[in-house]
């Protein structure tokens, strides 16, 4: 099974990939390298939307586990995604790629609010649109934010660039015999609770028939390979 032709794509990057080899935060050199991959993808004629997580800085669940109010901690996580979005915007602009950041939490001094029609216009003008702050509500993740933006922007696919090279039948970090799927259905992902994205994100993609492509963004050139239908990846779509 392969992907349908892709004209507009939503690329979701986990916050942790911005850390590079650090344990925390943002590695500007690594963000610059990621920006180079995004630029190359755009130069193939694609329209590119980006969603970046915040896990390299703060996750609400981690705060809650240490006794914080969950919603308060989630808002901090959302703010972390805005910092990452600004770091990526900076890196892309240093490469000459025009971008706009749209945040689901209004922050007029640093970025635009999420306005779908305006985002459409940015894409038409060849800009990369970076959507920040997830869905703008606690108890969600940026995976759900990515699925939501992919649906409303009518993206042909949601590419999840992370630190693993696809979806496995069990955790490859714990089980050396874990097997990677080339393709797997949304329903199997949900029924077996496979670690791809959270269930609400997978269900939203299923209901809107948006294929999810899970791949490792840590390997140089992988985004281009995946977009060319090559390379190591798992495609989640209807069976
Ligand atoms: N978050 C939230 N609502 C959203 C998106 C994110 O509350 O719509 C918070 C949540 O606490 C989450 C944190 O922001 O843990 C960072 O996002 P995420 O964990 O999705 O980042 P990633 O794992 O992709 O780096």
């Amino acid at each position: 099974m392969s992907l349908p032709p892709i004209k507009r794509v939503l690329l979701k990057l986990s916050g942790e990939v911005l850390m590079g080899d650090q344990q925390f935060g943002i590695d500007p050199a690594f963000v610059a390298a990621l920006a180079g991959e995004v630029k190359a993808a755009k130069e193939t004629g694609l329209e590119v939307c980006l969603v970046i997580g915040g896990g390299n800085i703060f996750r609400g669940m981690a705060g809650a586990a240490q006794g914080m109010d969950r919603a308060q901690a989630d808002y901090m996580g959302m703010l972390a995604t805005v910092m990452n979005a600004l770091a990526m915007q900076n890196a892309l602009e240093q490469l000459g790629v025009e971008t706009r950041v749209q945040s689901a939490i209004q922050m007029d001094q640093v970025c635009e609010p999420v306005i779908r029609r305006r985002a459409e216009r940015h894409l038409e003008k060849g800009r990369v649109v970076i959507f920040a702050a997830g869905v703008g509500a606690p108890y969600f993740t940026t995976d759900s934010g990515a699925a939501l933006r992919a649906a409303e922007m009518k993206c042909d696919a949601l590419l999840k660039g992370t630190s693993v090279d696809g979806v496995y039948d069990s955790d490859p970090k714990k089980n050396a015999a874990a097997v990677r799927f080339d393709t797997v259905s949304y329903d199997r992902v949900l029924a077996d609770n496979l670690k791809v994205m959270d269930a609400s994100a997978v269900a939203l993609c299923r209901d809107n028939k948006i294929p999810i492509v899970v791949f490792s963004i840590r390997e140089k050139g992988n985004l281009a390979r995946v977009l060319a239908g090559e390379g190591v990846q798992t495609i989640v779509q209807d069976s």
Side-chain angles (χ1 to χ4, degrees):
M1 232 184 303
S2 58
L3 288 173
I6 298 176
K7 175 87 183 81
R8 179 177 292 181
V9 73
L10 187 139
L11 175 63
K12 157 78 207 290
L13 299 177
S14 315
E16 63 180 28
V17 300
L18 272 60
M19 298 190 301
D21 295 325
Q22 302 173 177
Q23 297 300 310
F24 175 83
I26 297 170
D27 176 349
F30 203 78
V31 179
L34 287 171
E37 303 236 353
V38 173
K39 180 181 181 185
K42 215 186 91 45
E43 284 173 350
T44 66
L46 278 183
E47 292 179 340
V48 181
C49 302
L50 270 179
V51 168
I52 307 179
N56 54 322
I57 300 172
F58 198 82
R59 279 206 177 88
M61 290 272 262
Q66 291 177 299
M68 288 185 70
D69 175 75
R70 169 70 192 271
Q72 179 83 350
D74 276 342
Y75 279 109
M76 290 171 63
M78 284 182 262
L79 297 183
T81 74
V82 181
M83 291 177 63
N84 285 336
L86 295 181
M88 180 56 78
Q89 177 175 45
N90 176 72
L92 282 167
E93 288 187 347
Q94 284 181 343
L95 296 177
V97 180
E98 267 204 71
T99 69
R100 292 292 184 272
V101 175
Q102 293 201 344
S103 171
I105 294 175
Q106 250 177 276
M107 246 178 261
D108 295 347
Q109 279 75 8
V110 290
C111 57
E112 298 178 359
V114 176
I115 300 175
R116 184 176 63 82
R117 286 172 187 280
R118 190 182 283 183
E120 280 288 348
R121 191 84 186 101
H122 291 323
L123 292 175
E124 279 167 22
K125 288 186 173 172
R127 297 172 182 145
V128 170
V129 182
I130 308 173
F131 292 104
V135 304
Y139 296 94
F140 284 93
T141 67
T142 48
D143 284 348
S144 291
L148 174 64
R149 302 302 169 216
E152 69 173 335
M153 298 308 296
K154 300 190 174 51
C155 293
D156 302 307
L158 192 169
L159 268 53
K160 173 156 169 153
T162 183
S163 38
V164 274
D165 61 1
V167 183
Y168 285 76
D169 60 355
S170 57
D171 187 345
K173 287 182 188 143
K174 294 182 189 149
N175 177 10
V179 177
R180 187 181 54 76
F181 296 99
D182 283 333
T183 62
V184 60
S185 70
Y186 304 106
D187 288 338
R188 171 95 190 260
V189 166
L190 291 172
D192 292 0
N193 197 20
L194 299 175
K195 302 287 175 229
V196 181
M197 299 182 119
D198 54 77
S200 55
V202 175
L204 198 54
C205 287
R206 179 191 61 190
D207 296 349
N208 292 284
K209 302 199 178 330
I210 302 166
I212 305 168
V213 184
V214 183
F215 69 102
S216 169
I217 190 82
R218 284 187 176 273
E219 286 156 52
K220 204 168 174 333
N222 227 10
L223 176 60
R225 280 193 288 279
V226 165
L227 285 166
E230 301 158 3
V232 180
Q233 59 190 316
T234 296
I235 303 176
V236 184
Q237 59 186 2
D238 275 331
S239 48

